[in-house]
C-alpha cells in the first residue's frame, strides 16, 4: 500500500504561483558564485563544499548571522582565498582524515578559533573530502577538466560522481546541487534540462508536506513526521517529493534547479519552526526567500492563497523526516 500520494492539482497551483515570481539577479551575484579566483579553484570549491554538506544543523557563526549552508559558503570562500591547497587533489590525497580535520577547523569556527569549530562529524566529512580528491587524482584531470568533459550532459555527473561516498545517493541530491552551482556560476551550461533531477533536501520536503503537494496516507508515517520521530527509511517520501517538484517546475515554466531558490529559501525563513502565515514575520532577517525573489512586502507567504497549511494546523504540524544520512 502506498504511504504517500502526489497531489497533482496542488502542484499545479503552487507551480502557477511560482510562474508569476521575478527572481533577483543579485542572488546569483553573491560572493560564493563570483569569487575572484581561477575557474579551476572555483570548481574545486563547489565540489568539496557540496560533498561534505549534509545534516548541518549545528554549523553556525552567530556573530556573522550565518548558519548551515551559508556558513559553509563563507568558510569555503576563506579556504579558497587563504588556504587553496585544501582544494587541490594532489595535496589532499597525502593527508589523513585527522590531518585534514585539524586544517579545516578554523575555517568553520567563529573568529577562526579552531576550538570553537561548529562543523560536527568532522572526520567523517574529511574522509569524504579526501575520497573525492582521490577520484580527481585517479582521473588524471583537473577539477575543471573533469566537469568540462561532461559537455553539459547531465547524466555524466549522475553516473560519474556516484563512485564517491559523498555523492553516492541514488536520488542524487548533492550531485544536482553541485550541478546547479556550476551552472549558476556560469562554469557549465546543461544541454537538456529534462534530464535534471530536482534537488531534494529536508527543508524542501517540509514545505511540500505543509502545502499539501505531497499527502501522507500512512497514519504511522504521519505520526512520526508530525512528532519528529526517527525513521528508518524515508525513501518513498523523498521519491514522491522529487516527482512533485518536477510537476511544480513544469507548471512554473522554470528549471527544476530554480525550484531550489524558492523552496529551500522558504524552508529556511518562512516555513521553519514557525510559519509566516501564522506569525506574520520570518525566522531569519533578512528573509532568505526575499534574497532570491522580488517581494514588495513580506507579511504574507507567497503560497498563502493555495497552501493547505495556512488554515489547517494538521498540515502545519508536519516536519521533515528525521533520518541519519549523509545524502542530504
Amino acid at each position: 500500500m502506498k504511504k504517500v500520494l502526489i497531489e497533482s492539482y496542488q502542484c499545479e497551483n503552487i507551480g502557477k504561483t511560482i510562474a508569476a515570481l521575478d527572481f533577483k539577479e543579485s542572488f546569483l551575484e553573491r560572493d560564493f558564485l563570483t569569487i575572484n579566483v581561477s575557474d579551476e579553484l572555483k570548481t574545486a570549491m563547489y565540489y568539496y563544499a557540496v560533498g561534505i554538506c549534509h545534516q548541518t544543523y549545528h554549523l553556525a557563526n552567530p556573530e556573522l548571522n550565518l548558519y548551515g549552508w551559508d556558513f559553509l559558503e563563507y568558510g569555503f570562500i576563506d579556504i579558497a582565498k587563504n588556504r587553496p591547497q585544501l582544494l587541490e587533489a594532489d595535496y589532499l590525497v597525502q593527508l589523513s582524515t585527522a590531518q585534514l580535520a585539524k586544517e579545516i577547523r578554523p575555517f568553520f569556527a567563529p573568529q577562526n578559533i579552531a576550538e570553537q569549530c561548529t562543523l560536527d562529524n568532522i572526520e567523517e566529512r574529511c574522509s569524504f573530502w579526501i575520497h573525492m580528491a582521490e577520484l580527481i587524482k585517479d582521473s588524471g584531470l583537473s577539477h575543471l577538466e573533469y566537469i568540462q568533459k561532461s559537455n553539459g550532459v547531465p547524466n555524466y555527473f549522475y553516473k560519474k560522481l556516484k563512485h564517491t561516498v559523498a555523492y553516492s545517493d541514488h536520488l542524487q541530491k548533492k550531485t544536482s546541487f553541485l550541478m546547479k552551482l556550476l551552472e549558476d556560476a556560469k562554469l557549465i551550461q546543461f544541454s537538456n534540462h529534462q534530464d535534471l533531477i530536482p534537488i531534494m533536501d529536508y527543508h524542501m520536503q517540509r514545505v511540500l508536506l505543509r502545502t499539501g503537494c505531497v499527502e501522507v496516507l500512512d497514519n504511522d508515517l504521519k505520526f512520526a513526521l508530525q512528532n519528529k520521530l526517527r525513521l528508518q527509511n524515508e525513501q518513498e517520501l523523498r521519491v514522491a517529493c522529487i516527482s512533485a517538484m518536477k510537476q511544480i517546475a513544469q507548471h512554473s515554466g522554470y528549471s527544476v534547479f530554480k525550484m531550489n531558490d524558492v523552496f529551500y529559501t522558504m524552508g529556511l525563513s518562512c516555513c521553519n519552526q514557525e510559519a509566516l502565515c501564522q506569525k506574520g514575520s520570518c525566522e531569519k532577517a533578512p528573509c532568505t526567500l526575499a534574497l532570491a525573489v522580488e517581494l514588495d512586502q513580506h507579511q504574507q507567504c507567497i503560497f498563502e492563497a493555495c497552501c493547505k497549511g495556512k488554515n489547517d494546523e494538521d498540515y502545519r504540524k508536519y516536519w521533515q523526516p528525521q533520518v541519519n544520512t549523509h545524502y542530504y
Side-chain angles (χ1 to χ4, degrees):
M1 177 180 174
K2 279 188 174 183
K3 294 184 177 182
V4 295
L5 173 71
I6 301 164
E7 288 287 14
S8 294
Y9 77 91
Q10 188 67 341
C11 292
E12 181 177 357
N13 289 335
I14 295 294
K16 287 180 176 178
T17 301
I18 294 172
L21 297 176
D22 292 319
F23 289 86
K24 290 183 175 180
E25 289 295 328
S26 58
F27 190 63
L28 301 183
E29 294 167 358
R30 66 188 191 274
D31 290 346
F32 194 62
L33 297 176
T34 62
I35 180 174
N36 187 23
V37 296
S38 68
D39 287 350
E40 162 61 19
L41 192 57
K42 191 182 290 189
T43 301
M45 180 175 70
Y46 301 152
Y47 176 59
Y48 297 114
V50 174
I52 69 162
C53 182
H54 51 268
Q55 309 285 297
T56 55
Y57 299 109
H58 304 295
L59 182 59
N61 188 330
E63 295 175 11
L64 299 177
N65 193 29
L66 296 174
Y67 300 88
W69 172 255
D70 291 338
F71 188 27
L72 203 69
E73 280 195 4
Y74 181 90
F76 270 92
I77 289 170
D78 197 3
I79 288 172
K81 290 179 176 178
N82 298 302
R83 195 75 173 93
Q85 294 93 333
L86 295 176
L87 303 173
E88 296 172 1
D90 286 346
Y91 178 74
L92 288 165
V93 296
Q94 300 176 52
L95 301 179
S96 66
T97 55
Q99 288 171 328
L100 180 56
K102 182 178 179 181
E103 289 219 41
I104 70 169
R105 277 193 174 91
F107 295 101
F108 303 105
Q111 300 179 27
N112 295 111
I113 301 171
E115 292 74 19
Q116 296 182 20
C117 176
T118 59
L119 185 65
D120 60 7
N121 298 317
I122 196 164
E123 292 215 356
E124 176 193 54
R125 297 181 201 272
C126 287
S127 69
F128 292 174
W129 196 326
I130 292 169
H131 191 231
M132 286 185 278
E134 289 171 349
L135 177 73
I136 300 299
K137 176 72 173 174
D138 292 346
S139 75
L141 304 171
S142 69
H143 298 85
L144 183 61
E145 289 168 341
Y146 196 84
I147 68 123
Q148 287 177 334
K149 194 174 180 181
S150 71
N151 293 316
V153 176
N155 285 334
Y156 171 90
F157 287 86
Y158 295 132
K159 290 178 180 178
K160 292 287 187 180
L161 294 187
K162 68 181 181 181
H163 296 297
T164 67
V165 178
Y167 288 95
S168 59
D169 173 19
H170 66 286
L171 296 180
Q172 307 277 5
K173 182 265 178 177
K174 288 184 180 181
T175 305
S176 283
F177 185 40
L178 171 62
M179 292 160 66
K180 172 178 166 51
L181 289 174
L182 292 168
E183 190 167 64
D184 286 350
K186 298 179 172 56
L187 291 169
I188 197 167
Q189 180 66 46
F190 290 106
S191 55
N192 187 357
H193 276 230
Q194 295 300 313
D195 291 337
L196 300 179
I197 300 173
I199 303 160
M200 189 53 57
D201 85 329
Y202 46 86
H203 292 295
M204 300 166 80
Q205 290 179 76
R206 184 193 325 120
V207 175
L208 288 168
L209 287 166
R210 289 180 178 177
T211 54
C213 291
V214 175
E215 293 279 1
V216 180
L217 306 177
D218 182 85
N219 288 331
D220 289 338
L221 177 59
K222 182 176 182 178
F223 184 84
L225 290 167
Q226 292 184 335
N227 290 277
K228 302 181 181 180
L229 302 181
R230 182 70 62 178
L231 296 174
Q232 292 299 314
N233 190 320
E234 71 350 323
Q235 178 171 312
E236 185 179 348
L237 174 60
R238 197 153 67 105
V239 168
C241 287
I242 288 171
S243 296
M245 196 64 78
K246 287 181 179 178
Q247 291 187 27
I248 293 168
Q250 184 176 13
H251 289 295
S252 78
Y254 288 107
S255 162
V256 294
F257 282 177
K258 204 66 176 174
M259 298 303 97
N260 193 74
D261 296 346
V262 177
F263 286 86
Y264 175 74
T265 56
M266 174 177 282
L268 283 177
S269 286
C270 317
C271 199
N272 201 332
Q273 296 285 352
E274 296 179 309
L276 170 61
C277 62
Q278 303 301 306
K279 187 182 178 184
S281 62
C282 291
E283 285 189 27
K284 289 186 176 292
C287 167
T288 46
L289 178 63
L291 296 176
V293 175
E294 297 284 357
L295 298 172
D296 293 333
Q297 54 77 35
H298 202 39
Q299 282 74 49
Q300 292 182 318
C301 175
I302 61 170
F303 294 150
E304 194 158 312
C306 58
C307 175
K308 292 187 179 181
K310 167 65 170 65
N311 298 310
D312 191 335
E313 185 182 5
D314 200 43
Y315 284 93
R316 294 197 303 274
K317 286 180 180 178
Y318 277 120
W319 194 245
Q320 65 262 19
Q322 298 296 288
V323 289
N324 183 20
T325 181
H326 69 79
Y327 289 164
Y328 62 92

